[in-house]
Amino acid sequence: MDDFLLRAALAGTGLILATAPLGCFVVWRRMAYFGDATGHAAILGVAIAVVLSLPLIVGVLATTVVFGALLFALTREGTSADTVLGVLSHALLAIGLVGVALAPGPRIDLEGLLFGDILAVRQMDVWLIWAGGAAVAAIIAARWNALLTATLGDDLARAGGIDPARDTALLTGLLALTVALALKMVGALLISALLIIPAAAARPFARSPEGMVALTAVLGLTSVLGGLGLSFVIDSPAGPSIIVAAAAMYAAARVAQAAR
């Protein structure tokens, strides 16, 4: 196997460590639009990183964390979450695209930012993605029972001595980290798809929350490897090809569910 394909496969595998458990919570909590909006906010982080000569992941992570905190604060004041998401998502994406276009220095590949370029990951990127993915998985595992209880309902969580706002903030931060890790691989417009589609495909066949996470991981990994194979065979963009493979599995899962 060519080195660039091996690095892409390893990077995708490391990313699944984070997207599998986090994607399940996104589906359970109906946070799909939030994941999409976080990806849009990441573009502004790229522009800030370029202007300040910072590593891209630093700018993206900082911007997405601030976005999550701002959303959390506005929704707690009583503003509708979907309204806040709609305003912030499109505003930050537009500001980010303008900032990237006006940033000094070499032109930035906007198509790569929007749709990713997993075949361009370097060895250092692979290590970084594995470290970040393992950290997200470890944190979710450590807070698993509390996160599940808070997902079932705020009142149930408070009765068990759990602060649901704290766990919501934790998921927001983990989602921001995952978006920062995935930006180079699948791009800002496709990040939420990698989070949602494998989890949605696994949901009808899971018998427990833990089983759904495991099946989501299998489907996510299959999407990554299948998408890379499709990209190699027909010379298509790798990031969108991964999402096409995931969508195909979701369609197959729906057909299997209907047949069953």
Side-chain angles (χ1 to χ4, degrees):
M1 183 181 294
D2 292 333
D3 287 346
F4 72 94
L5 279 177
L6 180 60
R7 288 195 300 271
L10 289 174
T13 304
L15 185 62
I16 296 301
L17 292 176
T19 59
L22 195 56
C24 290
F25 280 105
V26 167
V27 170
W28 292 332
R29 289 175 171 243
R30 301 177 182 177
M31 295 172 63
Y33 194 20
F34 177 78
D36 201 33
T38 306
H40 291 177
I43 299 297
L44 178 58
V46 172
I48 293 173
V50 171
V51 171
L52 299 180
S53 300
L54 297 172
L56 290 185
I57 192 170
V58 174
V60 170
L61 184 57
T63 304
T64 50
V65 168
V66 170
F67 164 75
L70 183 60
L71 173 66
F72 186 68
L74 290 174
T75 52
R76 291 200 69 178
E77 291 179 356
T79 308
S80 173
D82 59 343
T83 300
V84 176
L85 279 171
V87 172
L88 291 180
S89 171
H90 296 96
L92 294 178
L93 176 61
I95 294 171
L97 290 175
V98 171
V100 168
L102 298 179
R107 301 289 292 180
I108 298 176
D109 181 13
L110 285 177
E111 183 177 347
L113 289 177
L114 295 176
F115 301 107
D117 189 7
I118 189 174
L119 298 180
V121 295
R122 301 165 299 177
Q123 184 174 359
M124 182 57 66
D125 296 324
V126 174
W127 285 109
L128 185 61
I129 290 168
W130 269 89
V136 170
I139 293 171
I140 292 178
R143 296 288 302 170
W144 179 254
N145 290 332
L147 289 170
L148 276 181
T149 304
T151 299
L152 291 174
D154 290 352
D155 293 336
L156 181 62
R158 293 189 186 95
I162 299 169
D163 182 4
R166 180 183 61 186
D167 287 300
T168 300
L170 175 62
L171 283 176
T172 299
L174 294 178
L175 189 57
L177 175 58
T178 303
V179 167
L181 293 173
L183 183 65
K184 188 169 185 177
M185 294 177 54
V186 294
L189 298 184
L190 303 177
I191 289 172
S192 61
L194 189 59
L195 282 165
I196 298 165
I197 296 178
R203 190 172 192 176
F205 304 98
R207 294 292 178 265
S208 67
E210 295 81 3
M212 181 170 166
V213 172
L215 184 55
T216 299
V218 172
L219 295 178
L221 182 58
T222 304
S223 299
V224 170
L225 299 181
L228 289 175
L230 179 66
S231 174
F232 183 78
V233 171
I234 67 175
D235 195 25
S236 59
S241 297
I242 291 173
I243 307 305
V244 168
M249 286 193 300
Y250 176 76
R254 296 290 302 195
V255 171
Q257 182 186 11
R260 189 179 61 172

